[in-house]
Amino acid sequence: MSYGLQAKRAEYIRDAVMSASPVRLLTMLYDRMLLDLNRAEAAQQAGNWPAASEQLIHAQAIVAELSGTLKVDEWEGGENLQAIYGYVMKAMVEANLQHNPAITRECINLLEPLRAAWHEAAAQLPTHAPAPSPAGTGGTLGVG
């Protein structure tokens, strides 16, 4: 991809993130996190450890963002979600250190239903009034 095309793509993504509602940002983060994990798993299976590591580290950054902005005391399920974030964070580190695609797959299997649930919840909200998300969305992580 040429530099001009890359710059335009980055600008488009930045604009999409900056104009997204909190709920849309949350679903974008989940989408990117699962994309990273699937890419990491494929790289692990191919023995491409640097690429796998890069993807796992980015997924960890997203989990850290989601965990750090989670308002546990404002949402009944907050403590359980926080525990899941803690578990997958440790599992991603282990998957990276051990070069273990099975652990990466476990993370995918745990997070995929959450992503689907957030997308389903977001689809049920009125499009004209973005609702605050209990998981927070206040970060600067790339989602594209």
Side-chain angles (χ1 to χ4, degrees):
M1 188 181 304
S2 74
Y3 177 74
L5 212 50
Q6 287 177 333
K8 285 291 186 188
R9 182 175 185 270
E11 180 182 350
Y12 172 79
I13 291 168
R14 184 177 49 255
D15 290 347
V17 169
M18 297 303 290
S19 64
S21 70
V23 171
R24 179 66 183 126
L25 284 173
L26 178 67
T27 58
M28 290 169 78
L29 284 170
Y30 265 89
D31 289 345
R32 179 55 195 256
M33 179 174 49
L34 269 296
L35 176 65
D36 290 342
L37 288 170
N38 281 296
R39 286 177 174 172
E41 180 185 36
Q44 287 172 319
Q45 290 171 342
N48 186 345
W49 308 120
S53 180
E54 181 180 336
Q55 296 300 317
L56 285 165
I57 289 169
H58 193 261
Q60 290 168 34
I62 294 171
V63 172
E65 180 69 24
L66 292 169
S67 179
T69 58
L70 181 62
K71 298 175 182 171
V72 175
D73 54 342
E74 294 182 22
W75 181 53
E76 185 179 316
E79 287 183 22
N80 292 333
L81 187 56
Q82 188 76 300
I84 291 169
Y85 289 157
Y87 178 81
V88 297
M89 178 67 85
K90 289 177 186 171
M92 285 185 223
V93 170
E94 188 176 330
N96 203 357
L97 292 174
Q98 294 182 12
H99 299 158
N100 190 332
I103 299 172
T104 303
R105 172 50 48 190
E106 179 185 8
C107 293
I108 293 167
N109 291 341
L110 284 169
L111 293 168
E112 185 61 50
L114 290 173
R115 173 175 67 168
W118 284 120
H119 274 278
E120 184 179 327
Q124 294 176 12
L125 292 174
T127 57
H128 62 281
S133 165
T137 55
T140 58
L141 295 172
V143 293

